[in-house]
Amino acid sequence: LVSVTTVPMPLFRRSSQGTGRKVAEGERGGAPTKKAAEDKESRKAAAGAAAVAARELSSQKQQQDKGEEKVVVVEALPAAKIPAVDSGPVPCACWRADRTGAGVEVEPGERLMVARKATTGWGCQLAEGFVSKRLTEVVLAIDQAEGDAFYGVVGRNFSPGGWDTPFCGGSADQHCIGVQSGSGRVVYKGRETEMVLKPLTKGAQLRLLIDMERQALDMQLIEPSGKLSVSVTLEGETKLPPEVTVAVSLGPGSHAVRVVYVESRPSDDTRSICNTKDLWDPSNVVAPMGLDGRANGQSDAAR
């Protein structure tokens, strides 16, 4: 015996436009009527308009999605965090965070302030980056000064050593140049000099002009009132090492030092840093000799 199942015909079928519709009475066989043809054309026009509207809506949504993606990119990379292409960071603009001296604390975030509070020992802190060219100006504000401390610069050879020594009388003082806060005495590579600033008290500022073209250091004391009090210059026999960075050495007591101003600019000294002149140096100009054996423009007195 064979079982035969009768499947009813569906009321809707798929048209060429991909939409389901009810079959008109005139389309069940034979030639379509005029009314059925008109209905067919009307449905085709409506389907075409719906397709155009759907494409426009899809295009608008894609543009909206692209705009939302751009907004996300801008929020993830704000302009303030995009590094400059033509200029790098200015050295000594903040304190190092990868290493600190004994008992020294560096302010989180911008790292502009360094502080230490202890009853014994010393703790040093170095600024970020070393200066090897141009002129760098750094202004340090003394926010708290209870006890002895040193402020100044150190050479690169100081960095690998211990950060628990004073600038004078310590194990690594051969690489330190600066001023002692309590006495105002200027120290140079482990020894005191005859140069003296006033004692650095709370509210005072120390202005450091690091001129690497001259390998010179100008230290200026600015009183709490804003008046320039006194300044000293180390150069010549007390010249700087080839690379230096700003540093502080904080002893027993309570200390807080803050970076308030940093600028890097061309050196004020236009002299050549060469010890001897070469033939191709622009400054090595020899005046032509005249017929009388004298240089042109040379007077008899100059001979």
Side-chain angles (χ1 to χ4, degrees), residues 73-87:
V73 172
V74 171
E75 291 179 354
L77 295 174
K81 294 185 179 181
I82 298 177
V85 177
D86 298 330
S87 60

Side-chain angles (χ1 to χ4, degrees), residues 10-11 79-80 100 115 206-207 272-273 286 298:
L11 296 178
T100 57
L206 181 64
R207 184 186 185 202
S272 174
I273 61 175
V286 179
Q298 185 180 13

